[in-house]
Structures are given as C-alpha cells and as structure tokens.
C-alpha cells in the first residue's frame, strides 16, 4: 500500500520499553485506517475477558483513513481501547 511505513511502535509502560515492529501487508488491506488497525491490535494483543483497567488492555493511537486531505469532518486520528462503558 502506498504511503504506509509498514511498522508500528509498541510501547510497554510496565517495562518502560518501546520497539518498532513490522506489520504484514495484508493487515493494511483488511483493516483500514487508525480505526481498523486499532481494532486489529486490540483483538490481537488483549486476551479475551480483559477488563478496562487491566494492564493487558492495549490502547492504540493511529492516523485516520482520510488523514492529510482537506475535508471537514474527515477523521484525522483514532484512539482505541476497551472502554469502561462497554462493561
């Protein structure tokens, strides 16, 4: 895909570490924008039954699908996590 770096930065606040990891091309094809990538990593990284305030609850920040265009109302960024309102 054009204009994609094919990497994510994973930050572990418990250990105080961060590292860049590659993301397969297919992930970008199936999960569009920051919302899609956030959902993918939430599903992949957080085990089933994770509660909102568990350390296993991952939070993602990603660029929106329409980031960079001059359109009002276009999503510029997205944040995903397991919300306390969903429990």
């Amino acid at each position: 895909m054009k204009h994609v770096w094919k990497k994510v930065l994973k930050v572990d606040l418990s250990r105080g570490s961060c590292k860049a990891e590659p993301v397969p091309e297919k992930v970008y094809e199936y999960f569009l924008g920051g919302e899609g990538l956030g959902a993918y990593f939430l599903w992949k990284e957080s085990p089933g039954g994770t509660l909102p305030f568990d350390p296993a609850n991952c939070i993602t920040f990603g660029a929106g699908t329409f980031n960079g265009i001059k359109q009002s109302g276009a999503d510029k960024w997205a944040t995903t996590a397991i919300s306390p309102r969903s429990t």
Side-chain angles (χ1 to χ4, degrees):
M1 296 202 58
K2 295 181 180 180
H3 310 294
V4 176
W5 291 357
K6 299 179 184 160
K7 290 183 184 177
V8 294
L9 182 65
K10 287 194 175 183
V11 178
D12 188 341
L13 297 176
S14 301
R15 297 183 185 138
S17 65
C18 61
K19 64 180 178 176
E21 290 187 1
V23 178
E25 182 75 25
K26 287 288 183 189
V27 172
Y28 290 108
E29 292 177 11
Y30 291 123
F31 301 93
L32 297 177
E35 300 89 354
L37 285 177
Y40 169 76
F41 283 108
L42 190 64
W43 170 72
K44 180 182 170 199
E45 301 289 332
S46 297
T50 301
L51 296 174
F53 298 108
D54 287 345
N57 182 10
C58 72
I59 183 169
T60 63
F61 302 96
T65 309
F66 297 111
N67 192 17
I69 67 168
K70 295 180 181 179
Q71 172 65 38
S72 62
D75 56 344
K76 304 298 181 190
W77 56 275
T79 305
T80 57
I82 298 172
S83 170
R85 296 193 80 176
S86 65
T87 57

